[in-house]
Amino acid sequence: MNGKIPCVKVRRRVAERTRRKLAKLGILDLEHRPKVSRGYVYFPVRRKPRGFTIVMKRLERVSKKPKSIFEALKKKGISIEGLLRSFEIIGDTAIIEIPNEISKHEKEIAKAIMEVHQNVKTVCRKVGPVSGKYRIKKLKVILGRKKTETTVSYTHLTLPTN
């Protein structure tokens, strides 16, 4: 097929209506990005519907963002389910506790967190207990900005009562 994908070709003015119809029919190919060119929109389809003009086009693949860090790591052949239970995100910093069994994967885990949570700019590993008057955590920066301070803003809402 030369890397070309079957596409429904429609004028731009009816593109949204057509997209909805193709989606409703369940034939819209969501793995490829539609293309706009010279007043036409080319929608990738999984099979050829009747009543539409079909052309073959080279289209860009849609990159799918993983839904969880486990999914992101699974793509890399790393399974940590059951070993890493949770992590905190405070501002743009993620803090994780990594058991010794998976410590060799700490960089890959940090990358997965940043891939899934695009607002995270720093990933730190908790390396000691919370201590002191201000309950400070001992952290080691694994990936991202070399800082352990972040800014957090809170919005306080008071809802009316009846």
Side-chain angles (χ1 to χ4, degrees):
M1 255 173 106
N2 270 350
K4 292 185 177 183
I5 309 295
C7 296
V8 167
K9 177 183 176 182
V10 295
R11 293 210 175 270
R12 200 172 187 162
R13 69 178 183 277
V14 295
E16 182 57 24
R17 186 174 355 138
T18 303
R19 186 198 61 77
R20 280 193 216 119
K21 186 171 185 175
L22 295 171
K24 188 175 179 180
L25 291 170
I27 61 172
L28 191 60
D29 176 354
L30 300 176
E31 293 180 15
H32 294 88
R33 197 173 308 283
K35 185 174 188 171
V36 179
S37 177
R38 296 186 175 136
Y40 288 94
V41 178
Y42 300 88
F43 289 107
V45 290
R46 289 186 278 165
R47 60 182 160 76
K48 298 176 182 182
R50 290 197 319 239
F52 289 98
T53 302
I54 302 296
V55 296
M56 301 302 284
K57 283 280 191 190
R58 285 190 209 286
L59 299 179
E60 181 183 327
R61 275 198 168 274
V62 174
S63 61
K64 291 186 179 178
K65 185 180 127 187
K67 291 180 176 59
S68 71
I69 63 169
F70 302 113
E71 188 180 308
L73 289 166
K74 195 173 187 179
K75 284 195 298 188
K76 297 173 186 174
I78 300 169
S79 178
I80 62 163
E81 289 192 59
L83 296 172
L84 183 69
R85 289 179 255 331
S86 65
F87 57 93
E88 300 175 78
I89 296 178
I90 303 168
D92 63 357
T93 303
I95 302 169
I96 56 177
E97 274 187 71
I98 301 177
N100 289 334
E101 309 93 276
I102 59 172
S103 63
K104 65 183 178 188
H105 297 298
E106 73 178 16
K107 282 251 193 264
E108 290 89 354
I109 294 167
K111 286 177 188 174
I113 288 171
M114 291 177 86
E115 186 179 352
V116 173
H117 301 280
Q118 294 178 344
N119 61 312
V120 171
K121 305 295 181 227
T122 304
V123 179
C124 297
R125 179 180 182 180
K126 186 176 168 190
V127 292
V130 174
S131 63
K133 178 181 175 183
Y134 297 105
R135 302 195 40 77
I136 304 293
K137 291 181 182 181
K138 291 187 185 196
L139 304 173
K140 169 187 148 191
V141 176
I142 300 172
L143 193 65
R145 297 180 188 152
K146 303 293 181 208
K147 66 176 188 65
T148 56
E149 291 183 10
T150 190
T151 303
V152 180
S153 63
Y154 292 95
T155 303
H156 180 77
L157 294 175
T158 304
L159 300 174
T161 57
N162 291 341

